Amino acid sequence: PSPGPSGFFGPFPGLACPVRREAGPPRLSATRNSLAVPGSTGYRRGVTRDAAPGESPWRVLTVALFGMFSVSFTITLLAVSLSTIARDLDSSAATLTWVITGPMLAFGVVGPVAGKAGDLWGHKRVYLVGIAGATVFALGTAGAWDATSIIVFRILGAAAGSACGPASMAMINSVFPSHERPRAMGYWSMVVAGGPGSASRGTIGIV
């Protein structure tokens, strides 16, 4: 049926014309360089920047990269020392492979969850909690008394440190204008990819 004066269904006055709502474009929030999509957490609660107004983006980048390197290079730091650690803890090198494998799994599993936590409670807060947790568990790793304790401390430390990945990326994207983000994220990628490798080469050189 064709639309009529009484509605979509022509001469039937009791049927109202259905209203079609078109989805509008994503709504820009009041925050600089922030985009809130209807239905998202940012749209409902408002998007906030993690850096104070007027703060240098490069200073934020430096802090973010320092923390990211601190938590990423520790993943493979003990790779060349497994046999020595195994003798000290009266264990085997096969058992202590979990000192490397466990943190890698924790980093990959907990990272996305930490990213969502940053969307809900703020990326700066999640970043600081991740750094603090990684530091505490690193101290626990240094004082481990057997194979089980060192594996547990390493996994928990990597789980806490994995929060720094998505949090640092979000902080960088929130403070840099669009034309400078590729260069900033290039530095971020270099640190994330080069952290484990550079630490291993440095350890091998010392040994």
mmCIF file of all heavy atoms in Angstrom, residues 148-195:
data_model
loop_
_atom_site.group_PDB
_atom_site.id
_atom_site.type_symbol
_atom_site.label_atom_id
_atom_site.label_comp_id
_atom_site.label_asym_id
_atom_site.label_seq_id
_atom_site.Cartn_x
_atom_site.Cartn_y
_atom_site.Cartn_z
ATOM 1 N N THR A 148 57.586 -23.019 42.548
ATOM 2 C CA THR A 148 56.179 -22.603 42.507
ATOM 3 C C THR A 148 56.018 -21.122 42.801
ATOM 4 O O THR A 148 55.275 -20.410 42.112
ATOM 5 C CB THR A 148 55.356 -23.420 43.517
ATOM 6 O OG1 THR A 148 55.479 -24.814 43.217
ATOM 7 C CG2 THR A 148 53.897 -23.019 43.465
ATOM 8 N N SER A 149 56.727 -20.640 43.804
ATOM 9 C CA SER A 149 56.578 -19.229 44.182
ATOM 10 C C SER A 149 57.085 -18.300 43.080
ATOM 11 O O SER A 149 56.442 -17.282 42.785
ATOM 12 C CB SER A 149 57.323 -18.953 45.486
ATOM 13 O OG SER A 149 58.710 -19.204 45.348
ATOM 14 N N ILE A 150 58.190 -18.645 42.445
ATOM 15 C CA ILE A 150 58.709 -17.744 41.407
ATOM 16 C C ILE A 150 57.796 -17.739 40.191
ATOM 17 O O ILE A 150 57.586 -16.704 39.549
ATOM 18 C CB ILE A 150 60.152 -18.133 41.022
ATOM 19 C CG1 ILE A 150 60.774 -17.016 40.183
ATOM 20 C CG2 ILE A 150 60.211 -19.450 40.278
ATOM 21 C CD1 ILE A 150 62.245 -17.229 39.895
ATOM 22 N N ILE A 151 57.200 -18.899 39.875
ATOM 23 C CA ILE A 151 56.276 -18.953 38.740
ATOM 24 C C ILE A 151 55.025 -18.135 39.039
ATOM 25 O O ILE A 151 54.546 -17.366 38.191
ATOM 26 C CB ILE A 151 55.914 -20.417 38.416
ATOM 27 C CG1 ILE A 151 57.131 -21.146 37.847
ATOM 28 C CG2 ILE A 151 54.755 -20.480 37.423
ATOM 29 C CD1 ILE A 151 56.928 -22.644 37.674
ATOM 30 N N VAL A 152 54.491 -18.265 40.236
ATOM 31 C CA VAL A 152 53.280 -17.520 40.607
ATOM 32 C C VAL A 152 53.546 -16.013 40.604
ATOM 33 O O VAL A 152 52.754 -15.228 40.055
ATOM 34 C CB VAL A 152 52.771 -17.984 41.984
ATOM 35 C CG1 VAL A 152 51.674 -17.054 42.488
ATOM 36 C CG2 VAL A 152 52.260 -19.405 41.906
ATOM 37 N N PHE A 153 54.658 -15.600 41.198
ATOM 38 C CA PHE A 153 54.978 -14.174 41.225
ATOM 39 C C PHE A 153 55.184 -13.623 39.810
ATOM 40 O O PHE A 153 54.784 -12.485 39.513
ATOM 41 C CB PHE A 153 56.219 -13.924 42.073
ATOM 42 C CG PHE A 153 55.972 -13.979 43.549
ATOM 43 C CD1 PHE A 153 56.806 -14.700 44.386
ATOM 44 C CD2 PHE A 153 54.907 -13.301 44.117
ATOM 45 C CE1 PHE A 153 56.578 -14.752 45.750
ATOM 46 C CE2 PHE A 153 54.665 -13.339 45.487
ATOM 47 C CZ PHE A 153 55.504 -14.073 46.302
ATOM 48 N N ARG A 154 55.809 -14.411 38.951
ATOM 49 C CA ARG A 154 56.035 -13.945 37.580
ATOM 50 C C ARG A 154 54.720 -13.793 36.818
ATOM 51 O O ARG A 154 54.525 -12.823 36.088
ATOM 52 C CB ARG A 154 56.957 -14.934 36.867
ATOM 53 C CG ARG A 154 58.386 -14.926 37.357
ATOM 54 C CD ARG A 154 59.208 -13.891 36.654
ATOM 55 N NE ARG A 154 59.349 -14.231 35.240
ATOM 56 C CZ ARG A 154 59.839 -13.402 34.324
ATOM 57 N NH1 ARG A 154 60.202 -12.183 34.671
ATOM 58 N NH2 ARG A 154 59.962 -13.771 33.070
ATOM 59 N N ILE A 155 53.821 -14.749 36.984
ATOM 60 C CA ILE A 155 52.545 -14.674 36.279
ATOM 61 C C ILE A 155 51.718 -13.498 36.794
ATOM 62 O O ILE A 155 51.129 -12.739 36.004
ATOM 63 C CB ILE A 155 51.766 -15.997 36.435
ATOM 64 C CG1 ILE A 155 52.493 -17.123 35.674
ATOM 65 C CG2 ILE A 155 50.340 -15.855 35.921
ATOM 66 C CD1 ILE A 155 51.861 -18.491 35.855
ATOM 67 N N LEU A 156 51.667 -13.322 38.097
ATOM 68 C CA LEU A 156 50.901 -12.196 38.658
ATOM 69 C C LEU A 156 51.514 -10.854 38.253
ATOM 70 O O LEU A 156 50.794 -9.886 37.974
ATOM 71 C CB LEU A 156 50.848 -12.318 40.176
ATOM 72 C CG LEU A 156 50.048 -13.499 40.733
ATOM 73 C CD1 LEU A 156 50.133 -13.538 42.248
ATOM 74 C CD2 LEU A 156 48.595 -13.433 40.278
ATOM 75 N N GLY A 157 52.844 -10.791 38.222
ATOM 76 C CA GLY A 157 53.490 -9.553 37.793
ATOM 77 C C GLY A 157 53.194 -9.210 36.350
ATOM 78 O O GLY A 157 52.955 -8.047 36.007
ATOM 79 N N ALA A 158 53.193 -10.229 35.479
ATOM 80 C CA ALA A 158 52.867 -9.981 34.071
ATOM 81 C C ALA A 158 51.407 -9.604 33.904
ATOM 82 O O ALA A 158 51.060 -8.763 33.067
ATOM 83 C CB ALA A 158 53.196 -11.214 33.238
ATOM 84 N N ALA A 159 50.525 -10.222 34.702
ATOM 85 C CA ALA A 159 49.106 -9.883 34.626
ATOM 86 C C ALA A 159 48.876 -8.423 35.020
ATOM 87 O O ALA A 159 48.097 -7.707 34.394
ATOM 88 C CB ALA A 159 48.293 -10.815 35.525
ATOM 89 N N ALA A 160 49.571 -7.985 36.073
ATOM 90 C CA ALA A 160 49.438 -6.581 36.478
ATOM 91 C C ALA A 160 50.075 -5.651 35.447
ATOM 92 O O ALA A 160 49.504 -4.612 35.086
ATOM 93 C CB ALA A 160 50.079 -6.373 37.846
ATOM 94 N N GLY A 161 51.242 -6.024 34.948
ATOM 95 C CA GLY A 161 51.928 -5.169 33.983
ATOM 96 C C GLY A 161 51.239 -5.085 32.640
ATOM 97 O O GLY A 161 51.422 -4.106 31.905
ATOM 98 N N SER A 162 50.442 -6.101 32.302
ATOM 99 C CA SER A 162 49.751 -6.063 31.007
ATOM 100 C C SER A 162 48.773 -4.904 30.916
ATOM 101 O O SER A 162 48.408 -4.477 29.818
ATOM 102 C CB SER A 162 49.011 -7.381 30.778
ATOM 103 O OG SER A 162 47.963 -7.545 31.725
ATOM 104 N N ALA A 163 48.348 -4.370 32.070
ATOM 105 C CA ALA A 163 47.440 -3.218 32.047
ATOM 106 C C ALA A 163 48.105 -1.987 31.458
ATOM 107 O O ALA A 163 47.423 -1.075 30.968
ATOM 108 C CB ALA A 163 46.948 -2.922 33.462
ATOM 109 N N CYS A 164 49.425 -1.943 31.489
ATOM 110 C CA CYS A 164 50.129 -0.765 30.972
ATOM 111 C C CYS A 164 50.053 -0.674 29.456
ATOM 112 O O CYS A 164 50.196 0.418 28.896
ATOM 113 C CB CYS A 164 51.594 -0.801 31.416
ATOM 114 S SG CYS A 164 51.820 -0.741 33.196
ATOM 115 N N GLY A 165 49.854 -1.808 28.778
ATOM 116 C CA GLY A 165 49.806 -1.780 27.318
ATOM 117 C C GLY A 165 48.639 -0.980 26.772
ATOM 118 O O GLY A 165 48.823 0.070 26.137
ATOM 119 N N PRO A 166 47.396 -1.435 26.980
ATOM 120 C CA PRO A 166 46.258 -0.655 26.470
ATOM 121 C C PRO A 166 46.113 0.708 27.134
ATOM 122 O O PRO A 166 45.673 1.665 26.488
ATOM 123 C CB PRO A 166 45.054 -1.559 26.787
ATOM 124 C CG PRO A 166 45.515 -2.470 27.863
ATOM 125 C CD PRO A 166 46.977 -2.689 27.625
ATOM 126 N N ALA A 167 46.504 0.816 28.407
ATOM 127 C CA ALA A 167 46.376 2.106 29.084
ATOM 128 C C ALA A 167 47.327 3.135 28.491
ATOM 129 O O ALA A 167 46.945 4.290 28.257
ATOM 130 C CB ALA A 167 46.635 1.941 30.580
ATOM 131 N N SER A 168 48.576 2.745 28.244
ATOM 132 C CA SER A 168 49.529 3.683 27.656
ATOM 133 C C SER A 168 49.124 4.071 26.237
ATOM 134 O O SER A 168 49.257 5.231 25.841
ATOM 135 C CB SER A 168 50.933 3.079 27.669
ATOM 136 O OG SER A 168 50.980 1.886 26.894
ATOM 137 N N MET A 169 48.609 3.116 25.474
ATOM 138 C CA MET A 169 48.155 3.429 24.118
ATOM 139 C C MET A 169 47.000 4.428 24.145
ATOM 140 O O MET A 169 46.964 5.375 23.344
ATOM 141 C CB MET A 169 47.716 2.139 23.410
ATOM 142 C CG MET A 169 47.296 2.347 21.970
ATOM 143 S SD MET A 169 46.640 0.832 21.207
ATOM 144 C CE MET A 169 48.065 -0.229 21.310
ATOM 145 N N ALA A 170 46.072 4.225 25.064
ATOM 146 C CA ALA A 170 44.933 5.144 25.159
ATOM 147 C C ALA A 170 45.372 6.535 25.598
ATOM 148 O O ALA A 170 44.869 7.550 25.087
ATOM 149 C CB ALA A 170 43.900 4.578 26.133
ATOM 150 N N MET A 171 46.311 6.599 26.536
ATOM 151 C CA MET A 171 46.786 7.914 26.984
ATOM 152 C C MET A 171 47.485 8.659 25.850
ATOM 153 O O MET A 171 47.312 9.873 25.692
ATOM 154 C CB MET A 171 47.729 7.741 28.174
ATOM 155 C CG MET A 171 47.040 7.327 29.454
ATOM 156 S SD MET A 171 48.105 7.476 30.922
ATOM 157 C CE MET A 171 49.414 6.332 30.521
ATOM 158 N N ILE A 172 48.276 7.940 25.064
ATOM 159 C CA ILE A 172 48.976 8.580 23.941
ATOM 160 C C ILE A 172 47.974 9.114 22.929
ATOM 161 O O ILE A 172 48.087 10.248 22.445
ATOM 162 C CB ILE A 172 49.946 7.581 23.299
ATOM 163 C CG1 ILE A 172 51.093 7.271 24.259
ATOM 164 C CG2 ILE A 172 50.496 8.134 21.984
ATOM 165 C CD1 ILE A 172 51.990 6.127 23.800
ATOM 166 N N ASN A 173 46.963 8.305 22.597
ATOM 167 C CA ASN A 173 45.968 8.740 21.615
ATOM 168 C C ASN A 173 45.117 9.894 22.123
ATOM 169 O O ASN A 173 44.581 10.669 21.327
ATOM 170 C CB ASN A 173 45.062 7.562 21.240
ATOM 171 C CG ASN A 173 45.738 6.587 20.312
ATOM 172 O OD1 ASN A 173 46.518 6.979 19.441
ATOM 173 N ND2 ASN A 173 45.468 5.311 20.489
ATOM 174 N N SER A 174 44.974 10.026 23.440
ATOM 175 C CA SER A 174 44.104 11.076 23.981
ATOM 176 C C SER A 174 44.784 12.433 24.048
ATOM 177 O O SER A 174 44.102 13.453 24.103
ATOM 178 C CB SER A 174 43.616 10.679 25.374
ATOM 179 O OG SER A 174 44.682 10.683 26.304
ATOM 180 N N VAL A 175 46.113 12.470 24.054
ATOM 181 C CA VAL A 175 46.796 13.758 24.216
ATOM 182 C C VAL A 175 47.456 14.256 22.926
ATOM 183 O O VAL A 175 47.792 15.433 22.830
ATOM 184 C CB VAL A 175 47.865 13.674 25.332
ATOM 185 C CG1 VAL A 175 47.208 13.371 26.673
ATOM 186 C CG2 VAL A 175 48.930 12.635 25.019
ATOM 187 N N PHE A 176 47.632 13.371 21.944
ATOM 188 C CA PHE A 176 48.275 13.792 20.698
ATOM 189 C C PHE A 176 47.226 14.142 19.659
ATOM 190 O O PHE A 176 46.225 13.430 19.522
ATOM 191 C CB PHE A 176 49.184 12.685 20.157
ATOM 192 C CG PHE A 176 50.556 12.658 20.770
ATOM 193 C CD1 PHE A 176 50.811 11.885 21.888
ATOM 194 C CD2 PHE A 176 51.588 13.405 20.225
ATOM 195 C CE1 PHE A 176 52.060 11.863 22.469
ATOM 196 C CE2 PHE A 176 52.849 13.390 20.792
ATOM 197 C CZ PHE A 176 53.088 12.617 21.914
ATOM 198 N N PRO A 177 47.425 15.215 18.912
ATOM 199 C CA PRO A 177 46.535 15.496 17.787
ATOM 200 C C PRO A 177 46.694 14.444 16.702
ATOM 201 O O PRO A 177 47.686 13.711 16.668
ATOM 202 C CB PRO A 177 47.000 16.884 17.308
ATOM 203 C CG PRO A 177 48.400 17.007 17.795
ATOM 204 C CD PRO A 177 48.481 16.236 19.081
ATOM 205 N N SER A 178 45.723 14.370 15.828
ATOM 206 C CA SER A 178 45.679 13.280 14.853
ATOM 207 C C SER A 178 46.904 13.240 13.951
ATOM 208 O O SER A 178 47.367 12.158 13.569
ATOM 209 C CB SER A 178 44.418 13.409 13.996
ATOM 210 O OG SER A 178 44.379 14.678 13.333
ATOM 211 N N HIS A 179 47.486 14.393 13.616
ATOM 212 C CA HIS A 179 48.613 14.386 12.687
ATOM 213 C C HIS A 179 49.926 13.958 13.353
ATOM 214 O O HIS A 179 50.906 13.684 12.658
ATOM 215 C CB HIS A 179 48.780 15.776 12.055
ATOM 216 C CG HIS A 179 49.165 16.849 13.040
ATOM 217 N ND1 HIS A 179 48.228 17.475 13.850
ATOM 218 C CD2 HIS A 179 50.368 17.399 13.345
ATOM 219 C CE1 HIS A 179 48.844 18.368 14.604
ATOM 220 N NE2 HIS A 179 50.138 18.343 14.328
ATOM 221 N N GLU A 180 49.962 13.896 14.692
ATOM 222 C CA GLU A 180 51.165 13.467 15.394
ATOM 223 C C GLU A 180 51.053 12.063 15.981
ATOM 224 O O GLU A 180 52.042 11.519 16.473
ATOM 225 C CB GLU A 180 51.495 14.458 16.521
ATOM 226 C CG GLU A 180 51.981 15.809 16.032
ATOM 227 C CD GLU A 180 52.411 16.705 17.178
ATOM 228 O OE1 GLU A 180 52.184 16.313 18.352
ATOM 229 O OE2 GLU A 180 52.964 17.784 16.915
ATOM 230 N N ARG A 181 49.865 11.483 15.939
ATOM 231 C CA ARG A 181 49.686 10.159 16.532
ATOM 232 C C ARG A 181 50.501 9.067 15.845
ATOM 233 O O ARG A 181 51.028 8.189 16.538
ATOM 234 C CB ARG A 181 48.200 9.784 16.515
ATOM 235 C CG ARG A 181 47.381 10.530 17.541
ATOM 236 C CD ARG A 181 45.919 10.192 17.423
ATOM 237 N NE ARG A 181 45.096 11.101 18.214
ATOM 238 C CZ ARG A 181 43.801 11.224 18.063
ATOM 239 N NH1 ARG A 181 43.164 10.501 17.167
ATOM 240 N NH2 ARG A 181 43.111 12.074 18.819
ATOM 241 N N PRO A 182 50.618 9.056 14.512
ATOM 242 C CA PRO A 182 51.421 7.985 13.905
ATOM 243 C C PRO A 182 52.859 7.945 14.410
ATOM 244 O O PRO A 182 53.401 6.861 14.675
ATOM 245 C CB PRO A 182 51.357 8.305 12.404
ATOM 246 C CG PRO A 182 50.075 9.049 12.236
ATOM 247 C CD PRO A 182 49.931 9.864 13.479
ATOM 248 N N ARG A 183 53.485 9.106 14.574
ATOM 249 C CA ARG A 183 54.860 9.121 15.071
ATOM 250 C C ARG A 183 54.917 8.652 16.521
ATOM 251 O O ARG A 183 55.805 7.877 16.899
ATOM 252 C CB ARG A 183 55.449 10.522 14.946
ATOM 253 C CG ARG A 183 56.898 10.589 15.397
ATOM 254 C CD ARG A 183 57.562 11.882 15.015
ATOM 255 N NE ARG A 183 56.881 13.042 15.577
ATOM 256 C CZ ARG A 183 57.443 14.250 15.664
ATOM 257 N NH1 ARG A 183 58.675 14.442 15.219
ATOM 258 N NH2 ARG A 183 56.774 15.264 16.174
ATOM 259 N N ALA A 184 53.962 9.117 17.342
ATOM 260 C CA ALA A 184 53.947 8.699 18.747
ATOM 261 C C ALA A 184 53.706 7.203 18.874
ATOM 262 O O ALA A 184 54.374 6.514 19.663
ATOM 263 C CB ALA A 184 52.871 9.480 19.508
ATOM 264 N N MET A 185 52.778 6.663 18.103
ATOM 265 C CA MET A 185 52.512 5.231 18.176
ATOM 266 C C MET A 185 53.656 4.421 17.574
ATOM 267 O O MET A 185 53.846 3.254 17.924
ATOM 268 C CB MET A 185 51.204 4.910 17.449
ATOM 269 C CG MET A 185 49.957 5.435 18.148
ATOM 270 S SD MET A 185 49.859 4.924 19.888
ATOM 271 C CE MET A 185 49.895 3.145 19.723
ATOM 272 N N GLY A 186 54.417 5.025 16.681
ATOM 273 C CA GLY A 186 55.615 4.350 16.185
ATOM 274 C C GLY A 186 56.637 4.141 17.290
ATOM 275 O O GLY A 186 57.247 3.065 17.403
ATOM 276 N N TYR A 187 56.825 5.155 18.119
ATOM 277 C CA TYR A 187 57.707 5.003 19.285
ATOM 278 C C TYR A 187 57.172 3.943 20.239
ATOM 279 O O TYR A 187 57.932 3.142 20.796
ATOM 280 C CB TYR A 187 57.865 6.341 20.011
ATOM 281 C CG TYR A 187 58.644 7.378 19.245
ATOM 282 C CD1 TYR A 187 58.170 8.682 19.111
ATOM 283 C CD2 TYR A 187 59.866 7.058 18.654
ATOM 284 C CE1 TYR A 187 58.889 9.641 18.420
ATOM 285 C CE2 TYR A 187 60.584 8.018 17.966
ATOM 286 C CZ TYR A 187 60.091 9.298 17.837
ATOM 287 O OH TYR A 187 60.803 10.238 17.152
ATOM 288 N N TRP A 188 55.869 3.946 20.449
ATOM 289 C CA TRP A 188 55.252 2.950 21.335
ATOM 290 C C TRP A 188 55.495 1.536 20.812
ATOM 291 O O TRP A 188 55.875 0.640 21.569
ATOM 292 C CB TRP A 188 53.765 3.239 21.448
ATOM 293 C CG TRP A 188 53.022 2.356 22.401
ATOM 294 C CD1 TRP A 188 52.798 2.584 23.731
ATOM 295 C CD2 TRP A 188 52.372 1.116 22.109
ATOM 296 N NE1 TRP A 188 52.071 1.556 24.284
ATOM 297 C CE2 TRP A 188 51.793 0.639 23.314
ATOM 298 C CE3 TRP A 188 52.240 0.350 20.952
ATOM 299 C CZ2 TRP A 188 51.085 -0.555 23.387
ATOM 300 C CZ3 TRP A 188 51.536 -0.849 21.021
ATOM 301 C CH2 TRP A 188 50.964 -1.278 22.221
ATOM 302 N N SER A 189 55.281 1.328 19.516
ATOM 303 C CA SER A 189 55.486 0.006 18.922
ATOM 304 C C SER A 189 56.944 -0.421 19.011
ATOM 305 O O SER A 189 57.241 -1.597 19.246
ATOM 306 C CB SER A 189 55.024 0.011 17.463
ATOM 307 O OG SER A 189 53.657 0.366 17.360
ATOM 308 N N MET A 190 57.862 0.518 18.825
ATOM 309 C CA MET A 190 59.277 0.190 18.902
ATOM 310 C C MET A 190 59.658 -0.279 20.301
ATOM 311 O O MET A 190 60.407 -1.258 20.463
ATOM 312 C CB MET A 190 60.117 1.412 18.513
ATOM 313 C CG MET A 190 61.620 1.187 18.559
ATOM 314 S SD MET A 190 62.534 2.658 18.080
ATOM 315 C CE MET A 190 62.056 3.801 19.391
ATOM 316 N N VAL A 191 59.126 0.382 21.315
ATOM 317 C CA VAL A 191 59.444 -0.004 22.696
ATOM 318 C C VAL A 191 58.832 -1.362 23.027
ATOM 319 O O VAL A 191 59.484 -2.221 23.632
ATOM 320 C CB VAL A 191 58.944 1.081 23.673
ATOM 321 C CG1 VAL A 191 59.009 0.577 25.112
ATOM 322 C CG2 VAL A 191 59.767 2.341 23.516
ATOM 323 N N VAL A 192 57.584 -1.582 22.629
ATOM 324 C CA VAL A 192 56.921 -2.853 22.940
ATOM 325 C C VAL A 192 57.614 -4.021 22.233
ATOM 326 O O VAL A 192 57.838 -5.082 22.824
ATOM 327 C CB VAL A 192 55.437 -2.785 22.539
ATOM 328 C CG1 VAL A 192 54.778 -4.148 22.680
ATOM 329 C CG2 VAL A 192 54.714 -1.766 23.399
ATOM 330 N N ALA A 193 57.973 -3.816 20.971
ATOM 331 C CA ALA A 193 58.615 -4.904 20.223
ATOM 332 C C ALA A 193 60.071 -5.085 20.607
ATOM 333 O O ALA A 193 60.595 -6.209 20.590
ATOM 334 C CB ALA A 193 58.513 -4.633 18.720
ATOM 335 N N GLY A 194 60.750 -4.004 20.961
ATOM 336 C CA GLY A 194 62.176 -4.097 21.244
ATOM 337 C C GLY A 194 62.519 -4.373 22.678
ATOM 338 O O GLY A 194 63.653 -4.737 22.986
ATOM 339 N N GLY A 195 61.551 -4.223 23.608
ATOM 340 C CA GLY A 195 61.832 -4.439 25.023
ATOM 341 C C GLY A 195 62.354 -5.821 25.335
ATOM 342 O O GLY A 195 63.456 -5.990 25.875
#
